[in-house]
Amino acid sequence: MCDPYRICVVNWQDEAVALRDIRTAVFIYEQQVPEDLEWDEFDPVSLHVLALNSNDQPIGTARLLPDGHIGRMAVLREWRGKGVGSAMLQRILEESSHRGMQKAMLNAQMAAIKFYEKFGFQVSGEEFMEAGIPHIKMILQS
């Protein structure tokens, strides 16, 4: 049996509270990312996806910057492993394609490399630290 959820394309101005709640839970509390590194000037200009459960409670989010960078992908712990992240990434890649973007880029946490490779992303460059967490740049050419 699948847990029902849906993926919505939203903007920061309308859904900032829900988007912030998810990212605060995952990045700030769970992964100990400093708050001043989590919030930036890109949220208002980015496209965001918001995953909602069957009760319309926020369970995941990700964003697409105007330059094709995908980031801030977060799924609440109890919803991981249920396809939410894959559905959000698929939706962002569709939106990227609709906007005529030739490639998508992201900084993947090292533990998530295999996840992104399933979508065709390829490692580019060397491992680096971001917010105290090992990452690597990955690129998907359209």
Side-chain angles (χ1 to χ4, degrees), residues 63-136:
R63 74 180 185 185
L64 175 65
L65 277 67
D67 68 357
H69 272 86
I70 296 168
R72 301 304 200 270
M73 189 144 152
V75 176
L76 295 180
R77 180 177 283 155
E78 60 270 22
W79 282 88
R80 291 180 199 151
K82 298 180 180 187
V84 177
S86 292
M88 289 192 313
L89 183 56
Q90 190 62 48
R91 186 62 179 272
I92 280 204
L93 292 174
E94 289 168 8
E95 292 295 328
S96 170
S97 177
H98 290 5
R99 286 165 172 68
M101 296 178 176
Q102 298 301 309
K103 67 179 178 178
M105 302 150 286
L106 52 84
N107 294 336
Q109 291 184 12
M110 295 302 289
I113 290 173
K114 295 269 186 254
F115 170 79
Y116 292 112
E117 285 177 338
K118 289 187 292 188
F119 289 86
F121 282 87
Q122 296 180 342
V123 168
S124 172
E126 301 296 318
E127 181 179 326
F128 61 94
M129 295 299 282
E130 187 172 50
I133 301 167
H135 284 74
I136 194 137

Side-chain angles (χ1 to χ4, degrees), residues 20 23-24 27-29 32-43 63 72 130-132:
R20 287 177 79 88
R23 286 167 47 186
T24 296
F27 296 126
I28 296 171
Y29 293 135
Q32 303 296 303
V33 171
E35 236 179 297
D36 60 326
L37 294 180
E38 181 55 32
W39 312 116
D40 60 29
E41 70 276 15
F42 298 112
D43 281 321
R63 74 180 185 185
R72 301 304 200 270
E130 187 172 50

